[in-house]
Amino acid sequence: MEDRCTICGASLELGHGAPVMAHEGLTFRFCSLECLKIFKAFPEAYTHEEETELKSVEDTSP
Ligand SMILES: [Zn+2]
């Protein structure tokens, strides 16, 4: 699993001190406080993707 900014996808260096936020049991990393602000404003926009993926997998099975 690569360390990338949840918002803009910029690659993050380990130990860089990038902002981190725990949300619904998951840890999200960000390249800057600006991206962290965006996530705080619209967390669902960035957490829904995985949920939709899981649901679609469940839906395809009978
Ligand atoms: Zn970013």
Side-chain angles (χ1 to χ4, degrees):
M1 190 173 181
E2 294 180 53
D3 280 326
R4 288 183 178 277
C5 176
T6 303
I7 304 301
C8 67
S11 54
L12 305 173
E13 294 180 23
L14 290 176
H16 187 260
V20 174
M21 180 177 172
H23 181 80
E24 294 183 353
L26 297 173
T27 302
F28 297 90
R29 296 172 186 274
F30 308 91
C31 66
S32 66
L33 289 175
E34 293 304 314
C35 283
L36 176 58
K37 281 184 191 172
I38 296 173
F39 181 82
K40 279 184 176 178
F42 306 102
E44 291 179 359
Y46 300 96
T47 56
H48 248 228
E49 243 179 276
E50 289 187 21
E51 288 179 13
T52 305
E53 198 176 326
L54 289 174
K55 279 179 185 172
S56 64
V57 171
E58 287 174 7
D59 288 345
T60 52
S61 48

